[in-house]
Amino acid sequence: MSIAACGIDFGTSNSTAAVHTPDGPRLIALEDGRPTLPSAVFFNLDEERQTYGRAAIAEYLEGYEGRLMRSMKSLLGSGLMEAGTEIGGRLLPFRALVGDFIGTIKHRTEAACGHACDAVVVGRPVRFVDEDDAADRLAQDTLEQIVRGLGFAEVSFQFEPIAAAHAYEQDITREELVLIVDIGGGTSDFSLVRLSPERRALADRSADLLGNTGVHIGGTDFDKRLSLACVMPELGLGDTLRNGAPIPNSVYYLLATWHTINQAYQGKVWSGFQEIARNLAEPRRFERLLNVIRKQAGHQLAMQVEAGKIDLSAADLSTLALDEAEDGLRIALKRGEFEAAIAGEIERIGVAAETCLAQAGVAPSRIDTLFFTGGSSAVPALRQGLAQRFPAARAVEGDLYGSVGCGLAVVAGQRYG
């Protein structure tokens, strides 16, 4: 079957692609039979090649010499996008990095379809950049330039929560007023939409979109807060020098933030560490930090924190094994501590959701359904916070990783046939 159009959800943590068929949207198996491709690239210097997704993470963890990049979407709209990173003695522009990754999605999608995809609907957050319209426009313009450079003749965009609404609408049996809650790796997006079986075939749904808001907070921010609150203190955050001054905290923030981890390995940063080490009142915890930097194990540390966060969605306790910092080091993470660390983020997300309704002049009591998508929407504290704000709404969980991609395919079918 010939398929000329597809949808691509280029995510902060995971990416998907889908096509629209007579039987409805179909996610493409992008890696090892799975529809998700982790948004990761590893530059394997030992074998002089690039790997993507789970394969990239596996090679990094196996100890190959090289550089791992994650959360590349977070660079869009920032000054870093026009910079690059040094890989094996050469400078790789971040534009090229993003293009290589999305190009891999395009290639694998076309291989699965057996046909070139010459049109694409790309998902985008409601806000790439908070409170800066120029930077937000620049982010989409940059992404469009990158995608067009891959050979797509037609490129258009759809807000990710609207795409998720299209996916949910394929299965409903009555009209609903729905707040789409899309909590991804980098952003939290909300759309208030009127959905019904009668409306889902219409190409123009502008009258059914009642409100759209977003805030640049997502799962990677939860990772960062958990790391700073519970893990980085075990590596010296908060310790003091002999003169009583606190250890500079900048490197801890670099290591706790996915897209800045590699900056912690720069030579000038290491020189600063040496000076700090000579002036410490108690060096043991800081030595753990030095071990992480020596081994360039920052991403491995961040993965452990991310895994702990995921564990805490289902349990009250998780134990992190941090052997990259010190052999045998174990840290207990408690759900209560995690929830306290992200309380500010949860509040801002809740305010963004209420703002979406305020745009439309709709009272919270009128919402029929909260439709959750995005991997980070599984955090219990987030769901509880939204349930308190919208007590009359029933909660429905979509495909946390695939709803947006499927919805983009529906839109692609409507726009391009």
Side-chain angles (χ1 to χ4, degrees), residues 158 162 166 169 193-196 198-210 410-411 413-416:
Q158 181 56 275
I162 296 296
H166 280 287
E169 192 177 40
V193 289
R194 183 183 295 108
L195 303 178
S196 76
E198 296 75 25
R199 287 179 168 87
R200 61 187 169 214
L202 299 176
D204 183 4
R205 301 297 300 276
S206 55
D208 295 327
L209 174 59
L210 308 180
V410 172
V411 176
Q414 292 173 342
R415 291 180 182 175
Y416 305 118

Side-chain angles (χ1 to χ4, degrees), residues 324-358:
E324 59 268 26
E326 178 182 291
D327 286 343
L329 178 62
R330 301 292 182 268
I331 297 176
L333 300 180
K334 299 177 182 178
R335 181 186 285 185
E337 293 174 344
F338 173 49
E339 292 179 347
I342 63 171
E345 282 71 20
I346 296 298
E347 174 65 19
R348 288 179 59 196
I349 289 170
V351 169
E354 290 182 333
T355 300
C356 187
L357 270 66

Side-chain angles (χ1 to χ4, degrees), residues 52-245:
Y52 303 90
R54 294 174 189 82
I57 295 169
E59 290 194 3
Y60 166 77
L61 294 176
E62 286 169 15
Y64 284 96
E65 182 69 22
R67 177 69 62 86
L68 180 70
M69 299 294 298
R70 289 194 70 181
S71 297
M72 298 166 286
K73 186 177 180 179
S74 299
L75 299 169
L76 290 166
S78 75
L80 288 173
M81 194 64 203
E82 301 308 317
T85 187
E86 185 176 314
I87 308 288
R90 66 184 181 92
L91 183 68
L92 178 72
F94 285 130
R95 279 178 177 257
L97 177 68
V98 173
D100 286 347
F101 184 79
I102 299 176
T104 296
I105 296 175
K106 179 177 188 287
H107 173 75
R108 295 183 183 184
T109 299
E110 292 174 335
C113 294
H115 192 285
C117 292
D118 52 16
V120 63
V121 179
V122 182
R124 62 148 292 170
V126 175
R127 299 291 304 188
F128 280 105
V129 183
D130 293 342
E131 300 176 354
D132 190 335
D133 291 341
D136 190 74
R137 285 193 300 272
L138 176 62
Q140 179 172 311
D141 290 347
T142 301
L143 186 55
E144 181 173 355
Q145 292 166 10
I146 291 170
V147 173
R148 287 191 182 279
L150 298 173
F152 286 107
E154 299 286 344
V155 177
S156 60
F157 290 85
Q158 181 56 275
F159 288 132
E160 289 156 2
I162 296 296
H166 280 287
Y168 174 58
E169 192 177 40
Q170 302 307 298
D171 298 319
I172 65 174
T173 58
R174 62 179 179 83
E175 181 173 306
E176 298 180 25
L177 191 59
V178 182
L179 181 64
I180 306 295
V181 181
D182 180 12
I183 315 295
T187 59
S188 295
D189 295 315
F190 301 91
S191 289
L192 180 61
V193 289
R194 183 183 295 108
L195 303 178
S196 76
E198 296 75 25
R199 287 179 168 87
R200 61 187 169 214
L202 299 176
D204 183 4
R205 301 297 300 276
S206 55
D208 295 327
L209 174 59
L210 308 180
N212 244 351
T213 55
V215 62
H216 204 263
I217 300 172
T220 56
D221 298 284
F222 298 160
D223 296 345
K224 177 179 178 177
R225 292 301 171 194
L226 178 60
S227 181
L228 291 171
C230 300
V231 178
M232 293 301 167
E234 297 296 329
L235 275 63
L237 178 62
D239 285 357
T240 60
L241 303 174
R242 289 195 183 97
N243 63 6

Side-chain angles (χ1 to χ4, degrees), residues 353-395:
E354 290 182 333
T355 300
C356 187
L357 270 66
Q359 284 183 355
V362 172
S365 60
R366 290 183 54 198
I367 302 302
D368 296 309
T369 305
L370 293 175
F371 180 76
F372 289 96
T373 187
S376 297
S377 70
V379 172
L382 183 141
R383 295 208 178 186
Q384 292 162 8
L386 291 176
Q388 291 171 2
R389 294 173 189 266
F390 307 101
R394 69 187 184 110

